[in-house]
Amino acid sequence: MRAAGPDAVTLELAGERSELWLDAGRGTAGAYFLTRDERRAIPVAEETGGPSHQALLLRAGPATVALRLWGVAPSLTLAVGGEPLASLGAGPSAWPPPPAAPEREWTALDAARVATAMAEPSPARALLAACPGLGPTLARALAEGRVSWPELRGLLADPRPTLVAPGPLASLHDADLQEAGALSLLPAALPGLDGTQLHPASWREAAATFLARRRRGILFRSRLAATIEGMRRDARRLRALEAHLARDLEDLPPAEPLRRQAEALLASPGTGTAGENEVEVSDPYDPGARVRVRIDTRLSLPANADRLFDKARRLERARRQVQDRLAETRDALAAAQASEARALSARDLDDLAGSAGSRPPARAEAAGRGPRHYLTGGGLSVLVGRGARENHRLTFAVAAPDDFWLHARDVPGAHVILRDPEGRARPDDLREAAELAAFFSEARTQAQIDVHVARRKHVRAARGGHGRVRIAHSDTLRVAPRDPEKRLRRRL
């Protein structure tokens, strides 16, 4: 079992190149039978947080599968006849599930209850309360009179996979599918629905298409919001910095009067009386004028002139520095505003990533959420944990049993997972992952570090808090810590 973001898990099916995707997300909840290629095409938001509790129940005859997602750790239980037989996952037990409510299934919904719901001020909401399985699209069609309850019962008795989209799928962008209800998967074609009704060849194909496109829309919406929030936060910071620098520049005294006073002292070296802290000398730029200059009586007039020249130079240097910082800040502000404009015009996830340059989503990066994700030279994914709690989640909720687990030996550091879904990891991939484990450890300043290398199935959680483990079997690689930036490709 692997986590697929904060609200779903996937299960590999033995002997097949297929996976079962169990989804507890709002608007996508359900079980999906996917090919490996279909699963890889679904974008996953790598978040450590998420809702505190979501649940998905699958009932088939006497068998029940209960999935619960408790923030950072999933738990799945299989039960038959009400008795749990087996559980997976590192989270708290998924058993017992909420009690069944057969009276809320569509097969138990009769005309009288439909009529009662239709008499409510919000009939669509009342219909959903009476039968959640209808879903918002069917409940709204029934409430608006686009289909009668007898007609809908007949359609549900002989279901046909139907996708309702704003237009042909090939012409749609991620931005077109970001709103809830933009794409619907229905068990029947209904008259009068807005949008284009599509009829895939099978339920499996319809569900896989719905999940992939809806997930992309959801991720586009959340990533756009996070990106815009980060850019606007940066813009506010830059505007405040611009105002502070402008005030600093305005408050800096001019250097020219100090330089003029110093030259006046040099031009009148015999002027002044010992013990006086101020002298009056001739202005070298206006012979008829006099200049009053404060001096340090412990120093000679030439030495006082040197001090004034030095202070003038410091003021000029400070003015140039503030002016340079002000120019850089204004350039950065203009760039941030241009990036925000590009993000607002983005239509797909790829466009959104391009609008932000190489910067990852602002919320995830600023808060340090989600593992770092790199690609080895061989194209394998390497995930690097951030902190003890995420190390625990990465190792025991995300990594597959045959993935490689790496950690700097005998020192605190990040858990590193090298994905090895088909046994393709080469020695070079392991070395690059070990260099990451060495770099993201407290021993990164050493020339060489020993790194544990083990299959994830040989690693067990140990008492004493998140991130502590026991290793049944491991090898050791001695590598030099290497910074991955500008060396390994990074994935968002």
Side-chain angles (χ1 to χ4, degrees):
M1 182 166 64
R2 296 180 182 176
D7 50 13
V9 297
T10 62
L11 298 167
E12 291 187 1
L13 303 182
E16 300 186 37
R17 296 183 61 82
S18 304
E19 296 188 18
L20 184 63
W21 179 296
L22 301 179
D23 197 300
R26 185 179 180 88
T28 53
Y32 300 84
F33 184 67
L34 307 174
T35 66
R36 294 280 177 84
D37 288 342
E38 287 170 339
R39 193 267 298 165
R40 289 172 181 146
I42 299 174
V44 173
E46 293 176 341
E47 300 181 30
T48 59
S52 59
H53 175 215
Q54 290 181 310
L56 175 71
L57 292 177
L58 304 174
R59 290 190 173 98
T64 300
V65 174
L67 168 68
R68 282 186 176 173
L69 296 155
W70 297 80
V72 299
S75 178
L76 184 144
T77 298
L78 170 66
V80 175
E83 293 297 325
L85 298 183
S87 293
L88 292 173
S93 175
W95 202 261
E103 72 280 1
R104 301 178 75 192
E105 301 293 338
W106 73 267
T107 50
L109 191 62
D110 56 25
R113 290 172 64 197
V114 171
T116 300
M118 294 288 283
E120 294 289 331
S122 300
R125 182 172 297 180
L127 285 167
L128 278 176
C131 180
L134 283 176
T137 302
L138 293 183
R140 191 163 49 249
L142 193 57
E144 294 172 356
R146 299 186 184 188
V147 63
S148 68
W149 176 236
E151 290 172 332
L152 185 56
R153 280 188 65 97
L155 292 171
L156 292 175
D158 184 21
R160 179 188 181 190
T162 303
L163 288 170
V164 182
L169 288 178
S171 67
L172 297 178
H173 298 275
D174 298 333
D176 300 321
L177 303 176
Q178 63 177 307
E179 301 296 336
L183 180 66
S184 300
L185 176 58
L186 303 180
L190 297 180
L193 287 183
D194 296 332
T196 300
Q197 298 192 32
L198 309 170
H199 303 287
S202 67
W203 278 103
R204 197 208 66 76
E205 179 185 339
T209 301
F210 169 79
L211 180 66
R213 298 306 297 267
R214 186 71 189 101
R215 278 267 175 179
R216 288 188 66 89
I218 291 171
L219 183 57
F220 178 88
R221 182 185 178 90
S222 64
R223 189 165 290 179
L224 176 64
T227 301
I228 295 300
E229 178 187 345
M231 289 176 175
R232 289 178 177 172
R233 184 171 57 246
D234 287 347
R236 289 193 297 270
R237 177 182 59 80
L238 290 168
R239 289 191 190 97
L241 178 58
E242 179 187 27
H244 292 155
L245 290 171
R247 284 197 297 270
D248 289 347
L249 190 61
E250 184 177 345
D251 292 342
L252 277 175
E256 184 55 32
L258 295 176
R259 191 179 298 280
R260 191 164 181 168
Q261 291 175 12
E263 292 176 353
L265 289 180
L266 291 177
S268 307
T271 306
T273 305
E276 296 179 350
N277 60 5
E278 189 176 80
V279 296
E280 185 177 285
V281 294
S282 298
D283 187 345
Y285 295 95
D286 186 356
R290 306 287 289 178
V291 178
R292 298 184 69 84
V293 184
R294 293 182 65 85
I295 62 171
D296 185 343
T297 58
R298 296 168 298 176
L299 303 176
S300 66
L301 293 186
N304 275 283
D306 287 342
R307 295 185 75 177
L308 289 171
F309 279 128
D310 185 59
K311 188 174 182 180
R313 284 192 295 269
R314 290 200 303 272
L315 284 173
E316 289 171 341
R317 184 165 58 249
R319 183 174 296 277
R320 287 194 301 270
Q321 290 173 344
V322 173
Q323 288 173 334
D324 290 345
R325 284 199 67 196
L326 185 58
E328 291 171 0
T329 300
R330 286 170 174 164
D331 289 344
L333 179 58
Q337 291 169 335
S339 293
E340 180 183 343
R342 288 196 299 272
L344 289 170
S345 66
R347 302 291 294 157
D348 292 296
L349 282 171
D350 293 342
D351 298 336
L352 188 57
S355 70
S358 59
R359 176 183 179 149
R363 179 178 299 171
E365 186 68 15
R369 298 175 63 195
R372 300 174 179 89
H373 189 178
Y374 299 96
L375 294 179
T376 68
L380 297 184
S381 290
V382 183
L383 303 178
V384 181
R386 305 173 192 258
R389 183 174 293 274
E390 189 177 273
N391 281 342
H392 182 87
R393 173 186 175 273
L394 185 60
T395 297
F396 299 109
V398 175
D402 286 326
D403 287 343
F404 283 99
W405 179 90
L406 302 97
H407 191 281
R409 193 173 189 129
D410 301 327
V411 293
H415 289 202
V416 174
I417 299 298
L418 172 62
R419 293 289 206 186
D420 191 23
E422 298 171 357
R424 296 191 295 112
R426 305 171 304 170
D428 286 348
D429 298 312
L430 284 169
R431 177 182 52 76
E432 289 176 343
E435 290 170 348
L436 281 174
F439 181 78
F440 290 104
S441 76
E442 291 189 4
R444 70 170 67 185
T445 58
Q446 297 181 16
Q448 296 283 318
I449 300 175
D450 288 334
V451 175
H452 283 293
V453 181
R455 292 287 185 178
R456 157 60 188 87
K457 59 189 175 185
H458 297 310
V459 180
R460 297 287 183 270
R463 293 182 180 179
H466 288 298
R468 298 181 66 86
V469 301
R470 291 183 292 107
I471 308 170
H473 171 75
S474 72
D475 296 320
T476 300
L477 279 179
R478 189 166 181 78
V479 297
R482 296 189 66 191
D483 187 345
E485 295 302 325
K486 299 182 180 179
R487 186 175 61 86
L488 296 182
R489 289 176 290 168
R490 185 166 183 173
R491 295 287 295 276
L492 294 183

